[in-house]
Amino acid sequence: MSETIFLHPATFFILGAMLLPVAQRFKLQKILLLVVPLLAFYQIRFLPESFGVCHFMGFELIFGRVDKLTYVFLHVFTLMAVIGSVYGLQVKESGQHMAAFLYVAGSLGVTLAGDYLTLFIFWEMMAFASTFLVWYRKRTKSIEAGYRYLLVHTAGGLVLLAGIFLRYQNVHDLSFGQIAADGATLADYLIMIGFMLNAAVPPIHAWLPDAYPEATVTGAVYMCAFTTKTAVYVLARGFPGFEALAILGAIMTLYGVGYAVIENDARRILAYHIVSQVGYMVCGVGIGTAMAINGACAHAYAHILYKALLFMGAGAVLEMTGKSKLNELGGLYKYMPISLIFTVIGGISISGFPLTSGFISKSMIIAAAGEHHRLGLLLMLTLAAVGTFLSVGIKLPYFIWFGKDSGVKAKEVPWNMQLGMAIAAFMCIFLGFYPDYLYNMLPFEVHYHPYSAYHLSETFQILGFTGLGFFLMVKKLKPEPKSNLDLDWFYRKGALVFMWVASKPISIANDWIGEVYRTVGMRFTLAVARAMSWFDWEGIDWVLDGSAKGVVKGADELRTLQTGKVQHYIGGAVVALFLILIIIVLI
Amino acid sequence: MIAQLIGYLRDHATVMKWLFFAFLAFAVVFDFLAARHHPHFWGDSVIGFWSLFGIGGCLGMIVICKGLSHVWLMKGEDYYDE
């Protein structure tokens, strides 16, 4: 058994997280931070096809199931952990690194899980650990955003769990495999919704642009890679060929990019752009052909690297200037040229320039849509590519490094942050020159050649004329210090209404009871006291006081129920759900 | 070094602009020469279709998104704290 435990790459990260505080004391933290992800990145090559199968309370748990689909995601997740660790070396707090390691462990655990229970355990571990990456920013806004993030993910986790239980009741089997699109039941759709929440599919996407920009500099780099792409993996594993995913994915690409065009904060633009890019993958999964699934995996691989690179670039600016709003930045090319070069490499990769990773991955999904004769999807995805180059390829670097000189002075970031960016930038270019490195890892055989004359021509035209459009409209795009409403409005404003409804009547009732006690009770007491002075004072006092106090006390207890202690609500909800499920399963 | 190079290029913005226009011209000319093996739909066989798509899509997106933002979505930065 102990050998099996060490087969699982997540074990390294969990152990590493436990050892970090000790390593910190002995000044070994940096070494540990490098060793753990490198070890995992090396070790995944030697995983057997199946390991860690154990029986628990009549369920079969499968901790390790490895095939080509698993491997490509394991490869990029562990590579990303290396990059994130290098980029975060200068962070002294062990806690941040522990959260990041547990987050990565959760992600690897989900990727390797062969049954729904194991998947769920690691799924929740991811949500819980990543919340701390937001909280460690230690600003009021981050604490609040972290709570919202945790609440939304808890809700999503409960939907997933409900789906898992119902599925067990239907088929008495918890193994996690492909679900046929035509025989899907309510249980399957609940599981899919749970997955879709983590993939940030509208209308349940708003947690992402709400939380990611509030995370720490290194935290955001981790977060942009793992949650959504783990969700893409489970969708690709369980739900290929679901039409709803194809349509929602295409809508996502435009939804995210639309907000990226109008937002002001650099990291919020990038967060919205994750929604857009993950849309390509969700759409690929929804199309469901071999080429589309290949495209979704290839795009996930490429996307993790360049999106992390962009987040590292924006993070470098934030780290050095304390600013991330475009209207407060500009003219930084004199001070941070190296970060500029790396960020632009990320920007041209995401836009799909020839000789970068975006060119060889994004086009695969678009070509799959074309081969499937889905003209609407093809045009939506291509339009999103136009918006991508506009918002992240040009607008973002232009207003940070060029544009109007903001007078902000800065220095170049420390060597390790530059190294982190350099690794990611190298991978972006390397994959563009040598796509077979990635294509050979994909789950199906690849019959796709990105460097055809027509594809090049299409790309030249789209990128060139989008650039022309930007410079024609550059005045219109001037960043404004505003925020834009999104669907999180419903729960952010809704929560206020809920709290008001919950607190007002209760406090009114409480005041009223107090008032009654003060006026009626006191007067009555006094009247009785005056009228019946011969009566036993003690008795009267005891009866009246006691009952009145009881009423007040009851009201107070009701009021403390409404303290807004989130964990109580979550706990209550979980308990209630479990009770319902137990009843359902037993009956 | 890099900063000086970028500064030099910025000083010669006019040259850069003409280079950019030359690239646009090249992109359209290249489209005449590109072989079309598997056109997915009618647009694939129209010369310069993607040029129009690029400029139209870009301008349309800016107008629509900015418009939506200004008439409806835009709120102050502390909107949720009020």
Side-chain angles (χ1 to χ4, degrees):
Chain A
M1 188 69 208
S2 64
E3 288 136 29
T4 321
I5 287 181
F6 282 99
L7 274 177
H8 201 304
T11 309
F12 302 134
F13 285 96
I14 294 170
L15 275 180
M18 302 297 162
L19 289 173
L20 271 170
V22 183
Q24 164 83 321
R25 286 210 49 160
F26 294 104
K27 304 262 192 301
L28 297 171
Q29 178 165 279
K30 288 182 179 174
I31 294 168
L32 190 63
L33 280 176
L34 290 176
V35 167
V36 169
L38 281 170
L39 195 64
F41 182 57
Y42 177 70
Q43 188 257 352
I44 53 163
R45 287 158 181 72
F46 309 105
L47 290 175
E49 278 198 6
S50 171
F51 61 90
V53 181
C54 55
H55 294 273
F56 172 74
M57 288 171 57
F59 297 113
E60 189 184 44
L61 302 183
I62 304 161
F63 281 89
R65 178 259 311 269
V66 187
D67 54 21
K68 287 200 84 165
L69 179 63
T70 318
Y71 182 75
V72 65
F73 279 90
L74 284 180
H75 195 273
V76 70
F77 284 156
T78 45
L79 175 61
M80 184 59 224
V82 174
I83 293 172
S85 278
V86 171
Y87 185 79
L89 276 182
Q90 85 287 356
V91 176
K92 290 194 176 52
E93 282 168 325
S94 298
Q96 259 199 70
H97 296 302
M98 284 168 77
F101 270 14
L102 290 173
Y103 181 34
V104 177
S107 181
L108 296 175
V110 169
T111 311
L112 282 164
D115 69 287
Y116 282 112
L117 278 187
T118 314
L119 182 146
F120 182 77
I121 293 163
F122 284 112
W123 191 261
E124 290 302 297
M125 187 165 139
M126 277 172 73
F128 184 73
S130 53
T131 306
F132 284 86
L133 295 174
V134 182
W135 280 341
Y136 263 105
R137 185 94 182 272
K138 294 177 184 162
R139 305 188 324 170
T140 315
K141 273 195 166 172
S142 311
I143 307 279
E144 289 170 355
Y147 261 119
R148 285 193 297 272
Y149 173 86
L150 186 59
L151 265 174
V152 171
H153 278 286
T154 307
L158 290 178
V159 173
L160 173 62
L161 191 62
I164 292 172
F165 275 118
L166 278 177
R167 187 176 160 78
Y168 183 72
Q169 206 199 346
N170 294 342
V171 294
H172 289 284
D173 176 26
L174 283 179
S175 61
F176 173 43
Q178 186 179 335
I179 291 168
D182 42 11
T185 60
L186 171 70
D188 301 330
Y189 278 111
L190 284 175
I191 292 173
M192 190 164 103
I193 290 169
F195 289 168
M196 274 158 63
L197 186 125
N198 272 30
V201 179
I204 40 180
H205 67 285
W207 57 268
L208 193 152
D210 178 23
Y212 284 22
E214 300 300 338
T216 64
V217 169
T218 48
V221 172
Y222 276 102
M223 290 172 90
C224 74
F226 290 98
T227 301
T228 43
K229 261 60 78 185
T230 309
V232 167
Y233 162 78
V234 290
L235 286 171
R237 168 75 69 191
F239 299 94
F242 275 67
E243 183 59 19
L245 291 178
I247 293 164
L248 281 170
I251 291 170
M252 265 173 95
T253 56
L254 290 172
Y255 192 105
V257 92
Y259 272 94
V261 170
I262 55 179
E263 275 295 339
N264 178 34
D265 183 287
R267 296 200 304 166
R268 181 156 284 130
I269 291 171
L270 291 173
Y272 269 115
H273 208 269
I274 294 175
V275 175
S276 174
Q277 291 280 303
V278 173
Y280 282 95
M281 302 164 213
V282 172
C283 183
V285 170
I287 293 169
T289 56
M291 187 176 182
I293 299 285
N294 268 347
C297 297
H299 199 46
Y301 193 106
H303 167 89
I304 284 178
L305 295 168
Y306 53 61
K307 183 62 78 177
L309 178 53
L310 286 159
F311 261 99
M312 287 192 269
V317 173
L318 179 64
E319 182 84 359
M320 289 294 132
T321 64
K323 297 182 195 306
S324 62
K325 295 198 171 79
L326 295 190
N327 67 312
E328 298 171 356
L329 291 163
L332 281 179
Y333 77 93
K334 300 190 205 84
Y335 310 109
M336 301 176 76
I338 295 175
S339 302
L340 160 66
I341 299 280
F342 287 141
T343 311
V344 166
I345 290 175
I348 61 173
S349 303
I350 207 167
S351 313
F353 272 55
L355 302 182
T356 64
S357 55
F359 183 78
I360 61 138
S361 67
K362 189 193 298 187
S363 52
M364 216 169 175
I365 299 175
I366 297 178
E371 294 209 343
H372 215 233
H373 304 295
R374 305 296 301 271
L375 178 59
L377 298 183
L378 181 132
L379 289 177
M380 281 166 90
L381 297 183
T382 313
L383 183 60
V386 169
T388 296
F389 185 46
L390 170 67
S391 61
V392 179
I394 317 178
K395 173 186 156 181
L396 186 87
Y398 179 84
F399 285 114
I400 293 180
W401 275 278
F402 304 109
K404 173 173 97 339
D405 197 330
S406 58
V408 173
K409 300 251 188 302
K411 288 206 302 288
E412 201 54 84
V413 286
W415 66 270
N416 62 296
M417 291 170 97
Q418 290 184 30
L419 180 61
M421 289 193 269
I423 300 170
F426 168 79
M427 285 304 293
C428 288
I429 306 287
F430 171 72
L431 293 177
F433 273 92
Y434 184 53
D436 286 340
Y437 179 76
L438 174 55
Y439 288 176
N440 291 339
M441 276 193 276
L442 295 176
F444 304 101
E445 204 177 329
V446 178
H447 306 288
Y448 177 65
H449 304 288
Y451 289 101
S452 67
Y454 183 65
H455 182 209
L456 281 168
S457 169
E458 186 188 341
T459 309
F460 287 152
Q461 292 180 70
I462 285 177
L463 295 176
F465 282 89
T466 304
L468 180 65
F470 175 84
F471 287 108
L472 288 175
M473 301 285 270
V474 70
K475 287 201 171 58
K476 277 265 179 287
L477 283 165
K478 211 166 98 36
E480 303 162 86
K482 295 281 183 193
S483 69
N484 287 288
L485 289 184
D486 199 349
L487 296 175
D488 54 344
W489 182 86
F490 286 98
Y491 56 83
R492 291 176 77 169
K493 285 292 178 192
L496 290 178
V497 173
F498 172 79
M499 288 308 289
W500 184 89
V501 169
S503 63
K504 279 286 171 185
I506 297 288
S507 66
I508 285 171
N510 191 38
D511 291 349
W512 185 77
I513 288 166
E515 202 60 32
V516 167
Y517 172 63
R518 267 195 301 281
T519 52
V520 180
M522 290 297 283
R523 279 186 192 168
F524 186 67
T525 315
L526 289 171
V528 169
R530 277 198 294 273
M532 311 180 185
S533 51
W534 48 266
F535 196 76
D536 177 9
W537 266 109
E538 295 287 319
I540 290 287
D541 225 27
W542 182 81
V543 169
L544 267 179
D545 246 30
S547 65
K549 272 212 181 86
V551 172
V552 173
K553 222 167 131 181
D556 270 345
E557 272 168 12
L558 271 179
R559 200 171 45 184
T560 51
L561 269 182
Q562 307 294 344
T563 48
K565 281 223 168 27
V566 172
Q567 59 269 43
H568 293 177
Y569 291 139
I570 297 176
V574 174
V575 169
L577 189 91
F578 262 111
L579 285 175
I580 293 165
L581 284 168
I582 286 167
I583 291 163
I584 291 173
V585 173
L586 287 181
I587 294 167
Chain B
M1 161 66 195
I2 303 172
Q4 280 161 339
L5 178 69
I6 296 171
Y8 176 82
L9 293 177
R10 278 173 68 106
D11 293 339
H12 299 77
T14 334
V15 180
M16 298 299 292
K17 198 165 77 180
W18 284 109
L19 279 174
F20 177 61
F21 287 145
F23 171 79
L24 292 185
F26 158 78
V28 177
V29 171
F30 187 80
D31 201 33
F32 276 97
L33 310 173
R36 291 163 164 72
H37 292 302
H38 310 288
H40 292 309
F41 73 114
W42 54 267
D44 277 345
S45 40
V46 177
I47 301 285
F49 174 83
W50 294 114
S51 305
L52 289 172
F53 188 90
I55 186 91
C58 178
L59 297 180
M61 201 174 266
I62 294 172
V63 170
I64 290 170
C65 296
K66 275 285 174 187
L68 273 177
S69 173
H70 275 275
V71 301
W72 177 34
L73 298 172
M74 191 180 273
K75 289 280 179 278
E77 283 178 320
D78 297 329
Y79 171 73
Y80 285 110
D81 303 332
E82 286 153 13

